[in-house]
PDB file of all heavy atoms in Angstrom:
ATOM      1  N   LEU E   1     272.999  56.185  99.756  1.00 93.00           N
ATOM      2  CA  LEU E   1     272.187  55.717  98.620  1.00 93.00           C
ATOM      3  C   LEU E   1     271.235  54.627  99.150  1.00 93.00           C
ATOM      4  O   LEU E   1     271.671  53.579  99.547  1.00 93.00           O
ATOM      5  CB  LEU E   1     273.092  55.137  97.510  1.00 93.00           C
ATOM      6  CG  LEU E   1     274.115  56.101  96.927  1.00 93.00           C
ATOM      7  CD1 LEU E   1     274.989  55.377  95.914  1.00 93.00           C
ATOM      8  CD2 LEU E   1     273.440  57.268  96.266  1.00 93.00           C
ATOM      9  N   ILE E   2     269.971  54.938  99.149  1.00 92.00           N
ATOM     10  CA  ILE E   2     268.930  53.982  99.590  1.00 92.00           C
ATOM     11  C   ILE E   2     268.244  53.520  98.289  1.00 92.00           C
ATOM     12  O   ILE E   2     267.503  54.256  97.684  1.00 92.00           O
ATOM     13  CB  ILE E   2     267.934  54.644 100.542  1.00 92.00           C
ATOM     14  CG1 ILE E   2     268.620  55.452 101.632  1.00 92.00           C
ATOM     15  CG2 ILE E   2     266.984  53.596 101.118  1.00 92.00           C
ATOM     16  CD1 ILE E   2     269.584  54.659 102.501  1.00 92.00           C
ATOM     17  N   LEU E   3     268.520  52.262  97.925  1.00 94.00           N
ATOM     18  CA  LEU E   3     268.127  51.771  96.602  1.00 94.00           C
ATOM     19  C   LEU E   3     267.196  50.578  96.689  1.00 94.00           C
ATOM     20  O   LEU E   3     267.372  49.693  97.542  1.00 94.00           O
ATOM     21  CB  LEU E   3     269.377  51.372  95.834  1.00 94.00           C
ATOM     22  CG  LEU E   3     270.501  52.419  95.759  1.00 94.00           C
ATOM     23  CD1 LEU E   3     271.771  51.835  95.158  1.00 94.00           C
ATOM     24  CD2 LEU E   3     270.019  53.637  94.994  1.00 94.00           C
ATOM     25  N   PHE E   4     266.213  50.556  95.814  1.00 93.00           N
ATOM     26  CA  PHE E   4     265.244  49.462  95.764  1.00 93.00           C
ATOM     27  C   PHE E   4     265.194  48.926  94.341  1.00 93.00           C
ATOM     28  O   PHE E   4     265.398  49.644  93.384  1.00 93.00           O
ATOM     29  CB  PHE E   4     263.859  49.959  96.198  1.00 93.00           C
ATOM     30  CG  PHE E   4     263.783  50.351  97.613  1.00 93.00           C
ATOM     31  CD1 PHE E   4     264.058  51.651  98.004  1.00 93.00           C
ATOM     32  CD2 PHE E   4     263.493  49.415  98.601  1.00 93.00           C
ATOM     33  CE1 PHE E   4     264.026  51.998  99.351  1.00 93.00           C
ATOM     34  CE2 PHE E   4     263.457  49.762  99.935  1.00 93.00           C
ATOM     35  CZ  PHE E   4     263.720  51.076 100.304  1.00 93.00           C
ATOM     36  N   GLY E   5     264.894  47.635  94.226  1.00 92.00           N
ATOM     37  CA  GLY E   5     264.765  47.022  92.916  1.00 92.00           C
ATOM     38  C   GLY E   5     265.879  46.042  92.668  1.00 92.00           C
ATOM     39  O   GLY E   5     266.398  45.388  93.593  1.00 92.00           O
ATOM     40  N   ASP E   6     266.252  45.910  91.396  1.00 94.00           N
ATOM     41  CA  ASP E   6     267.317  45.013  91.003  1.00 94.00           C
ATOM     42  C   ASP E   6     268.148  45.716  89.926  1.00 94.00           C
ATOM     43  O   ASP E   6     267.797  46.822  89.487  1.00 94.00           O
ATOM     44  CB  ASP E   6     266.736  43.668  90.508  1.00 94.00           C
ATOM     45  CG  ASP E   6     265.769  43.838  89.332  1.00 94.00           C
ATOM     46  OD1 ASP E   6     266.002  44.716  88.451  1.00 94.00           O
ATOM     47  OD2 ASP E   6     264.796  43.095  89.276  1.00 94.00           O
ATOM     48  N   PRO E   7     269.238  45.128  89.484  1.00 95.00           N
ATOM     49  CA  PRO E   7     270.102  45.813  88.488  1.00 95.00           C
ATOM     50  C   PRO E   7     269.378  46.082  87.155  1.00 95.00           C
ATOM     51  O   PRO E   7     269.750  46.987  86.448  1.00 95.00           O
ATOM     52  CB  PRO E   7     271.266  44.823  88.285  1.00 95.00           C
ATOM     53  CG  PRO E   7     271.260  43.938  89.464  1.00 95.00           C
ATOM     54  CD  PRO E   7     269.842  43.875  89.910  1.00 95.00           C
ATOM     55  N   GLN E   8     268.348  45.319  86.838  1.00 95.00           N
ATOM     56  CA  GLN E   8     267.626  45.529  85.596  1.00 95.00           C
ATOM     57  C   GLN E   8     266.659  46.702  85.695  1.00 95.00           C
ATOM     58  O   GLN E   8     266.373  47.372  84.725  1.00 95.00           O
ATOM     59  CB  GLN E   8     266.881  44.271  85.162  1.00 95.00           C
ATOM     60  CG  GLN E   8     267.794  43.114  84.746  1.00 95.00           C
ATOM     61  CD  GLN E   8     268.507  42.448  85.923  1.00 95.00           C
ATOM     62  OE1 GLN E   8     267.930  42.223  86.982  1.00 95.00           O
ATOM     63  NE2 GLN E   8     269.771  42.148  85.740  1.00 95.00           N
ATOM     64  N   SER E   9     266.120  46.937  86.882  1.00 94.00           N
ATOM     65  CA  SER E   9     265.114  48.005  87.034  1.00 94.00           C
ATOM     66  C   SER E   9     265.673  49.308  87.624  1.00 94.00           C
ATOM     67  O   SER E   9     265.044  50.328  87.523  1.00 94.00           O
ATOM     68  CB  SER E   9     263.970  47.501  87.943  1.00 94.00           C
ATOM     69  OG  SER E   9     264.419  47.308  89.269  1.00 94.00           O
ATOM     70  N   ASN E  10     266.825  49.236  88.254  1.00 95.00           N
ATOM     71  CA  ASN E  10     267.387  50.416  88.901  1.00 95.00           C
ATOM     72  C   ASN E  10     268.813  50.653  88.373  1.00 95.00           C
ATOM     73  O   ASN E  10     269.751  49.926  88.723  1.00 95.00           O
ATOM     74  CB  ASN E  10     267.401  50.237  90.407  1.00 95.00           C
ATOM     75  CG  ASN E  10     267.807  51.468  91.147  1.00 95.00           C
ATOM     76  OD1 ASN E  10     268.670  52.196  90.705  1.00 95.00           O
ATOM     77  ND2 ASN E  10     267.209  51.693  92.305  1.00 95.00           N
ATOM     78  N   PRO E  11     269.023  51.681  87.566  1.00 95.00           N
ATOM     79  CA  PRO E  11     270.361  51.934  87.004  1.00 95.00           C
ATOM     80  C   PRO E  11     271.437  52.290  88.031  1.00 95.00           C
ATOM     81  O   PRO E  11     272.613  52.039  87.771  1.00 95.00           O
ATOM     82  CB  PRO E  11     270.112  53.084  86.013  1.00 95.00           C
ATOM     83  CG  PRO E  11     268.817  53.711  86.390  1.00 95.00           C
ATOM     84  CD  PRO E  11     268.012  52.637  87.081  1.00 95.00           C
ATOM     85  N   VAL E  12     271.023  52.780  89.154  1.00 94.00           N
ATOM     86  CA  VAL E  12     272.032  53.093  90.212  1.00 94.00           C
ATOM     87  C   VAL E  12     272.519  51.799  90.844  1.00 94.00           C
ATOM     88  O   VAL E  12     273.708  51.637  91.102  1.00 94.00           O
ATOM     89  CB  VAL E  12     271.496  54.077  91.269  1.00 94.00           C
ATOM     90  CG1 VAL E  12     272.549  54.380  92.307  1.00 94.00           C
ATOM     91  CG2 VAL E  12     271.030  55.366  90.585  1.00 94.00           C
ATOM     92  N   ILE E  13     271.632  50.839  91.094  1.00 95.00           N
ATOM     93  CA  ILE E  13     272.075  49.533  91.576  1.00 95.00           C
ATOM     94  C   ILE E  13     273.034  48.929  90.558  1.00 95.00           C
ATOM     95  O   ILE E  13     274.105  48.399  90.929  1.00 95.00           O
ATOM     96  CB  ILE E  13     270.868  48.591  91.842  1.00 95.00           C
ATOM     97  CG1 ILE E  13     270.092  49.055  93.052  1.00 95.00           C
ATOM     98  CG2 ILE E  13     271.392  47.145  92.068  1.00 95.00           C
ATOM     99  CD1 ILE E  13     268.848  48.220  93.362  1.00 95.00           C
ATOM    100  N   LYS E  14     272.690  48.984  89.302  1.00 95.00           N
ATOM    101  CA  LYS E  14     273.552  48.437  88.254  1.00 95.00           C
ATOM    102  C   LYS E  14     274.934  49.089  88.286  1.00 95.00           C
ATOM    103  O   LYS E  14     275.956  48.431  88.159  1.00 95.00           O
ATOM    104  CB  LYS E  14     272.893  48.643  86.888  1.00 95.00           C
ATOM    105  CG  LYS E  14     273.646  47.993  85.759  1.00 95.00           C
ATOM    106  CD  LYS E  14     272.867  48.138  84.459  1.00 95.00           C
ATOM    107  CE  LYS E  14     273.552  47.381  83.352  1.00 95.00           C
ATOM    108  NZ  LYS E  14     272.775  47.390  82.114  1.00 95.00           N
ATOM    109  N   LYS E  15     274.969  50.399  88.536  1.00 94.00           N
ATOM    110  CA  LYS E  15     276.227  51.154  88.561  1.00 94.00           C
ATOM    111  C   LYS E  15     277.095  50.788  89.757  1.00 94.00           C
ATOM    112  O   LYS E  15     278.298  50.579  89.630  1.00 94.00           O
ATOM    113  CB  LYS E  15     275.945  52.649  88.554  1.00 94.00           C
ATOM    114  CG  LYS E  15     277.196  53.511  88.527  1.00 94.00           C
ATOM    115  CD  LYS E  15     276.846  54.945  88.231  1.00 94.00           C
ATOM    116  CE  LYS E  15     278.059  55.819  88.185  1.00 94.00           C
ATOM    117  NZ  LYS E  15     279.004  55.508  87.125  1.00 94.00           N
ATOM    118  N   VAL E  16     276.537  50.656  90.953  1.00 94.00           N
ATOM    119  CA  VAL E  16     277.306  50.371  92.152  1.00 94.00           C
ATOM    120  C   VAL E  16     277.626  48.916  92.359  1.00 94.00           C
ATOM    121  O   VAL E  16     278.504  48.556  93.143  1.00 94.00           O
ATOM    122  CB  VAL E  16     276.666  50.939  93.449  1.00 94.00           C
ATOM    123  CG1 VAL E  16     276.425  52.428  93.349  1.00 94.00           C
ATOM    124  CG2 VAL E  16     275.385  50.201  93.803  1.00 94.00           C
ATOM    125  N   LEU E  17     276.927  48.037  91.647  1.00 95.00           N
ATOM    126  CA  LEU E  17     277.047  46.601  91.878  1.00 95.00           C
ATOM    127  C   LEU E  17     278.502  46.094  91.758  1.00 95.00           C
ATOM    128  O   LEU E  17     278.934  45.241  92.527  1.00 95.00           O
ATOM    129  CB  LEU E  17     276.179  45.840  90.869  1.00 95.00           C
ATOM    130  CG  LEU E  17     275.858  44.370  91.194  1.00 95.00           C
ATOM    131  CD1 LEU E  17     275.265  44.251  92.581  1.00 95.00           C
ATOM    132  CD2 LEU E  17     274.888  43.850  90.177  1.00 95.00           C
ATOM    133  N   GLY E  18     279.279  46.653  90.844  1.00 94.00           N
ATOM    134  CA  GLY E  18     280.670  46.220  90.713  1.00 94.00           C
ATOM    135  C   GLY E  18     281.523  46.557  91.912  1.00 94.00           C
ATOM    136  O   GLY E  18     282.594  45.951  92.085  1.00 94.00           O
ATOM    137  N   ASP E  19     281.069  47.445  92.785  1.00 94.00           N
ATOM    138  CA  ASP E  19     281.810  47.812  93.980  1.00 94.00           C
ATOM    139  C   ASP E  19     281.279  47.138  95.240  1.00 94.00           C
ATOM    140  O   ASP E  19     281.740  47.418  96.329  1.00 94.00           O
ATOM    141  CB  ASP E  19     281.749  49.351  94.169  1.00 94.00           C
ATOM    142  CG  ASP E  19     282.489  50.080  93.071  1.00 94.00           C
ATOM    143  OD1 ASP E  19     283.657  49.741  92.839  1.00 94.00           O
ATOM    144  OD2 ASP E  19     281.859  50.943  92.461  1.00 94.00           O
ATOM    145  N   LEU E  20     280.307  46.272  95.073  1.00 96.00           N
ATOM    146  CA  LEU E  20     279.733  45.556  96.231  1.00 96.00           C
ATOM    147  C   LEU E  20     280.249  44.107  96.224  1.00 96.00           C
ATOM    148  O   LEU E  20     280.612  43.590  95.200  1.00 96.00           O
ATOM    149  CB  LEU E  20     278.210  45.579  96.134  1.00 96.00           C
ATOM    150  CG  LEU E  20     277.539  46.947  96.110  1.00 96.00           C
ATOM    151  CD1 LEU E  20     276.022  46.820  96.010  1.00 96.00           C
ATOM    152  CD2 LEU E  20     277.904  47.758  97.352  1.00 96.00           C
ATOM    153  N   PRO E  21     280.232  43.458  97.377  1.00 96.00           N
ATOM    154  CA  PRO E  21     280.781  42.093  97.484  1.00 96.00           C
ATOM    155  C   PRO E  21     279.792  41.015  97.049  1.00 96.00           C
ATOM    156  O   PRO E  21     279.809  39.897  97.599  1.00 96.00           O
ATOM    157  CB  PRO E  21     281.125  41.982  98.960  1.00 96.00           C
ATOM    158  CG  PRO E  21     280.072  42.826  99.622  1.00 96.00           C
ATOM    159  CD  PRO E  21     279.846  43.985  98.706  1.00 96.00           C
ATOM    160  N   ILE E  22     278.911  41.347  96.133  1.00 97.00           N
ATOM    161  CA  ILE E  22     277.943  40.347  95.631  1.00 97.00           C
ATOM    162  C   ILE E  22     277.974  40.406  94.109  1.00 97.00           C
ATOM    163  O   ILE E  22     278.423  41.379  93.510  1.00 97.00           O
ATOM    164  CB  ILE E  22     276.521  40.637  96.159  1.00 97.00           C
ATOM    165  CG1 ILE E  22     276.009  41.998  95.666  1.00 97.00           C
ATOM    166  CG2 ILE E  22     276.457  40.547  97.661  1.00 97.00           C
ATOM    167  CD1 ILE E  22     274.547  42.294  95.982  1.00 97.00           C
ATOM    168  N   LYS E  23     277.451  39.349  93.498  1.00 97.00           N
ATOM    169  CA  LYS E  23     277.233  39.323  92.068  1.00 97.00           C
ATOM    170  C   LYS E  23     275.738  39.087  91.865  1.00 97.00           C
ATOM    171  O   LYS E  23     275.184  38.163  92.453  1.00 97.00           O
ATOM    172  CB  LYS E  23     278.018  38.180  91.389  1.00 97.00           C
ATOM    173  CG  LYS E  23     279.497  38.233  91.627  1.00 97.00           C
ATOM    174  CD  LYS E  23     280.136  39.254  90.771  1.00 97.00           C
ATOM    175  CE  LYS E  23     281.653  39.234  90.905  1.00 97.00           C
ATOM    176  NZ  LYS E  23     282.261  40.450  91.338  1.00 97.00           N
ATOM    177  N   TRP E  24     275.113  39.910  91.016  1.00 97.00           N
ATOM    178  CA  TRP E  24     273.642  39.841  90.899  1.00 97.00           C
ATOM    179  C   TRP E  24     273.274  40.056  89.450  1.00 97.00           C
ATOM    180  O   TRP E  24     273.540  41.118  88.865  1.00 97.00           O
ATOM    181  CB  TRP E  24     273.040  40.901  91.778  1.00 97.00           C
ATOM    182  CG  TRP E  24     271.564  40.836  92.008  1.00 97.00           C
ATOM    183  CD1 TRP E  24     270.703  39.831  91.691  1.00 97.00           C
ATOM    184  CD2 TRP E  24     270.782  41.865  92.603  1.00 97.00           C
ATOM    185  NE1 TRP E  24     269.440  40.149  92.070  1.00 97.00           N
ATOM    186  CE2 TRP E  24     269.455  41.410  92.662  1.00 97.00           C
ATOM    187  CE3 TRP E  24     271.061  43.111  93.120  1.00 97.00           C
ATOM    188  CZ2 TRP E  24     268.420  42.157  93.171  1.00 97.00           C
ATOM    189  CZ3 TRP E  24     270.035  43.858  93.658  1.00 97.00           C
ATOM    190  CH2 TRP E  24     268.737  43.384  93.673  1.00 97.00           C
ATOM    191  N   THR E  25     272.694  39.045  88.843  1.00 96.00           N
ATOM    192  CA  THR E  25     272.209  39.112  87.460  1.00 96.00           C
ATOM    193  C   THR E  25     270.736  38.747  87.448  1.00 96.00           C
ATOM    194  O   THR E  25     270.160  38.398  88.487  1.00 96.00           O
ATOM    195  CB  THR E  25     272.994  38.145  86.543  1.00 96.00           C
ATOM    196  OG1 THR E  25     272.648  36.796  86.910  1.00 96.00           O
ATOM    197  CG2 THR E  25     274.497  38.362  86.650  1.00 96.00           C
ATOM    198  N   SER E  26     270.149  38.796  86.270  1.00 94.00           N
ATOM    199  CA  SER E  26     268.743  38.396  86.165  1.00 94.00           C
ATOM    200  C   SER E  26     268.561  36.887  86.365  1.00 94.00           C
ATOM    201  O   SER E  26     267.461  36.420  86.610  1.00 94.00           O
ATOM    202  CB  SER E  26     268.173  38.808  84.816  1.00 94.00           C
ATOM    203  OG  SER E  26     268.910  38.222  83.750  1.00 94.00           O
ATOM    204  N   GLU E  27     269.660  36.117  86.291  1.00 96.00           N
ATOM    205  CA  GLU E  27     269.568  34.670  86.451  1.00 96.00           C
ATOM    206  C   GLU E  27     269.895  34.202  87.861  1.00 96.00           C
ATOM    207  O   GLU E  27     269.425  33.125  88.274  1.00 96.00           O
ATOM    208  CB  GLU E  27     270.509  33.961  85.479  1.00 96.00           C
ATOM    209  CG  GLU E  27     270.105  34.064  84.040  1.00 96.00           C
ATOM    210  CD  GLU E  27     270.622  35.355  83.394  1.00 96.00           C
ATOM    211  OE1 GLU E  27     271.675  35.855  83.808  1.00 96.00           O
ATOM    212  OE2 GLU E  27     269.934  35.887  82.506  1.00 96.00           O
ATOM    213  N   SER E  28     270.763  34.938  88.576  1.00 97.00           N
ATOM    214  CA  SER E  28     271.172  34.387  89.893  1.00 97.00           C
ATOM    215  C   SER E  28     271.759  35.520  90.772  1.00 97.00           C
ATOM    216  O   SER E  28     272.027  36.633  90.314  1.00 97.00           O
ATOM    217  CB  SER E  28     272.249  33.307  89.698  1.00 97.00           C
ATOM    218  OG  SER E  28     273.421  33.853  89.145  1.00 97.00           O
ATOM    219  N   LEU E  29     271.976  35.145  92.023  1.00 97.00           N
ATOM    220  CA  LEU E  29     272.559  36.000  93.021  1.00 97.00           C
ATOM    221  C   LEU E  29     273.667  35.209  93.724  1.00 97.00           C
ATOM    222  O   LEU E  29     273.438  34.101  94.127  1.00 97.00           O
ATOM    223  CB  LEU E  29     271.481  36.431  94.028  1.00 97.00           C
ATOM    224  CG  LEU E  29     271.927  37.221  95.249  1.00 97.00           C
ATOM    225  CD1 LEU E  29     272.469  38.586  94.864  1.00 97.00           C
ATOM    226  CD2 LEU E  29     270.772  37.373  96.251  1.00 97.00           C
ATOM    227  N   LEU E  30     274.865  35.823  93.810  1.00 97.00           N
ATOM    228  CA  LEU E  30     275.972  35.189  94.492  1.00 97.00           C
ATOM    229  C   LEU E  30     276.328  36.036  95.713  1.00 97.00           C
ATOM    230  O   LEU E  30     276.726  37.192  95.559  1.00 97.00           O
ATOM    231  CB  LEU E  30     277.194  35.059  93.574  1.00 97.00           C
ATOM    232  CG  LEU E  30     278.414  34.376  94.158  1.00 97.00           C
ATOM    233  CD1 LEU E  30     278.130  32.897  94.440  1.00 97.00           C
ATOM    234  CD2 LEU E  30     279.592  34.504  93.208  1.00 97.00           C
ATOM    235  N   VAL E  31     276.168  35.463  96.900  1.00 97.00           N
ATOM    236  CA  VAL E  31     276.429  36.159  98.150  1.00 97.00           C
ATOM    237  C   VAL E  31     277.230  35.224  99.061  1.00 97.00           C
ATOM    238  O   VAL E  31     276.832  34.102  99.303  1.00 97.00           O
ATOM    239  CB  VAL E  31     275.124  36.572  98.858  1.00 97.00           C
ATOM    240  CG1 VAL E  31     275.421  37.209 100.201  1.00 97.00           C
ATOM    241  CG2 VAL E  31     274.290  37.511  97.992  1.00 97.00           C
ATOM    242  N   ASN E  32     278.359  35.740  99.528  1.00 95.00           N
ATOM    243  CA  ASN E  32     279.218  34.992 100.477  1.00 95.00           C
ATOM    244  C   ASN E  32     279.563  33.589  99.931  1.00 95.00           C
ATOM    245  O   ASN E  32     279.534  32.615 100.664  1.00 95.00           O
ATOM    246  CB  ASN E  32     278.538  34.881 101.833  1.00 95.00           C
ATOM    247  CG  ASN E  32     279.491  34.501 102.944  1.00 95.00           C
ATOM    248  OD1 ASN E  32     280.702  34.624 102.816  1.00 95.00           O
ATOM    249  ND2 ASN E  32     278.943  34.024 104.038  1.00 95.00           N
ATOM    250  N   GLY E  33     279.847  33.525  98.648  1.00 94.00           N
ATOM    251  CA  GLY E  33     280.253  32.272  98.031  1.00 94.00           C
ATOM    252  C   GLY E  33     279.115  31.296  97.697  1.00 94.00           C
ATOM    253  O   GLY E  33     279.366  30.215  97.189  1.00 94.00           O
ATOM    254  N   LYS E  34     277.908  31.662  97.992  1.00 96.00           N
ATOM    255  CA  LYS E  34     276.754  30.772  97.709  1.00 96.00           C
ATOM    256  C   LYS E  34     275.883  31.387  96.622  1.00 96.00           C
ATOM    257  O   LYS E  34     275.574  32.566  96.633  1.00 96.00           O
ATOM    258  CB  LYS E  34     275.948  30.549  98.957  1.00 96.00           C
ATOM    259  CG  LYS E  34     274.822  29.554  98.749  1.00 96.00           C
ATOM    260  CD  LYS E  34     274.223  29.077 100.023  1.00 96.00           C
ATOM    261  CE  LYS E  34     273.139  28.040  99.661  1.00 96.00           C
ATOM    262  NZ  LYS E  34     272.374  27.632 100.769  1.00 96.00           N
ATOM    263  N   LYS E  35     275.480  30.535  95.681  1.00 97.00           N
ATOM    264  CA  LYS E  35     274.654  30.966  94.563  1.00 97.00           C
ATOM    265  C   LYS E  35     273.185  30.671  94.846  1.00 97.00           C
ATOM    266  O   LYS E  35     272.826  29.609  95.312  1.00 97.00           O
ATOM    267  CB  LYS E  35     275.108  30.233  93.272  1.00 97.00           C
ATOM    268  CG  LYS E  35     274.475  30.728  92.008  1.00 97.00           C
ATOM    269  CD  LYS E  35     275.067  30.017  90.811  1.00 97.00           C
ATOM    270  CE  LYS E  35     274.495  30.558  89.517  1.00 97.00           C
ATOM    271  NZ  LYS E  35     275.101  29.900  88.351  1.00 97.00           N
ATOM    272  N   TYR E  36     272.365  31.668  94.531  1.00 97.00           N
ATOM    273  CA  TYR E  36     270.908  31.566  94.739  1.00 97.00           C
ATOM    274  C   TYR E  36     270.192  31.798  93.402  1.00 97.00           C
ATOM    275  O   TYR E  36     270.679  32.516  92.532  1.00 97.00           O
ATOM    276  CB  TYR E  36     270.431  32.623  95.736  1.00 97.00           C
ATOM    277  CG  TYR E  36     271.069  32.485  97.083  1.00 97.00           C
ATOM    278  CD1 TYR E  36     272.252  33.152  97.397  1.00 97.00           C
ATOM    279  CD2 TYR E  36     270.506  31.687  98.071  1.00 97.00           C
ATOM    280  CE1 TYR E  36     272.849  33.015  98.656  1.00 97.00           C
ATOM    281  CE2 TYR E  36     271.093  31.546  99.335  1.00 97.00           C
ATOM    282  CZ  TYR E  36     272.248  32.215  99.606  1.00 97.00           C
ATOM    283  OH  TYR E  36     272.824  32.080 100.834  1.00 97.00           O
ATOM    284  N   ASP E  37     269.042  31.204  93.260  1.00 96.00           N
ATOM    285  CA  ASP E  37     268.218  31.391  92.047  1.00 96.00           C
ATOM    286  C   ASP E  37     267.724  32.811  91.941  1.00 96.00           C
ATOM    287  O   ASP E  37     267.772  33.580  92.898  1.00 96.00           O
ATOM    288  CB  ASP E  37     267.033  30.408  92.061  1.00 96.00           C
ATOM    289  CG  ASP E  37     267.452  28.954  91.944  1.00 96.00           C
ATOM    290  OD1 ASP E  37     268.539  28.694  91.378  1.00 96.00           O
ATOM    291  OD2 ASP E  37     266.716  28.098  92.472  1.00 96.00           O
ATOM    292  N   ALA E  38     267.164  33.153  90.808  1.00 94.00           N
ATOM    293  CA  ALA E  38     266.715  34.507  90.506  1.00 94.00           C
ATOM    294  C   ALA E  38     265.529  34.947  91.403  1.00 94.00           C
ATOM    295  O   ALA E  38     265.207  36.130  91.402  1.00 94.00           O
ATOM    296  CB  ALA E  38     266.313  34.612  89.038  1.00 94.00           C
ATOM    297  N   ASP E  39     264.915  34.033  92.116  1.00 94.00           N
ATOM    298  CA  ASP E  39     263.803  34.431  93.007  1.00 94.00           C
ATOM    299  C   ASP E  39     264.326  34.890  94.393  1.00 94.00           C
ATOM    300  O   ASP E  39     263.553  34.974  95.339  1.00 94.00           O
ATOM    301  CB  ASP E  39     262.768  33.325  93.144  1.00 94.00           C
ATOM    302  CG  ASP E  39     263.336  32.033  93.724  1.00 94.00           C
ATOM    303  OD1 ASP E  39     264.559  31.893  93.804  1.00 94.00           O
ATOM    304  OD2 ASP E  39     262.531  31.154  94.041  1.00 94.00           O
ATOM    305  N   HIS E  40     265.614  35.182  94.476  1.00 95.00           N
ATOM    306  CA  HIS E  40     266.225  35.686  95.705  1.00 95.00           C
ATOM    307  C   HIS E  40     266.768  37.118  95.463  1.00 95.00           C
ATOM    308  O   HIS E  40     267.219  37.402  94.353  1.00 95.00           O
ATOM    309  CB  HIS E  40     267.379  34.803  96.120  1.00 95.00           C
ATOM    310  CG  HIS E  40     266.925  33.432  96.566  1.00 95.00           C
ATOM    311  ND1 HIS E  40     266.521  32.454  95.663  1.00 95.00           N
ATOM    312  CD2 HIS E  40     266.880  32.861  97.791  1.00 95.00           C
ATOM    313  CE1 HIS E  40     266.204  31.370  96.344  1.00 95.00           C
ATOM    314  NE2 HIS E  40     266.402  31.595  97.629  1.00 95.00           N
TER     315      HIS E  40
END
């Protein structure tokens, strides 16, 4: 699966996100224990 976009624009990203080791919302991104603003 080669996916582009974000969970709001790509329904496949939204679907697989729960199985990935990151948390990604329209407000923030959480990767490896660190939180980033929505511009990441």
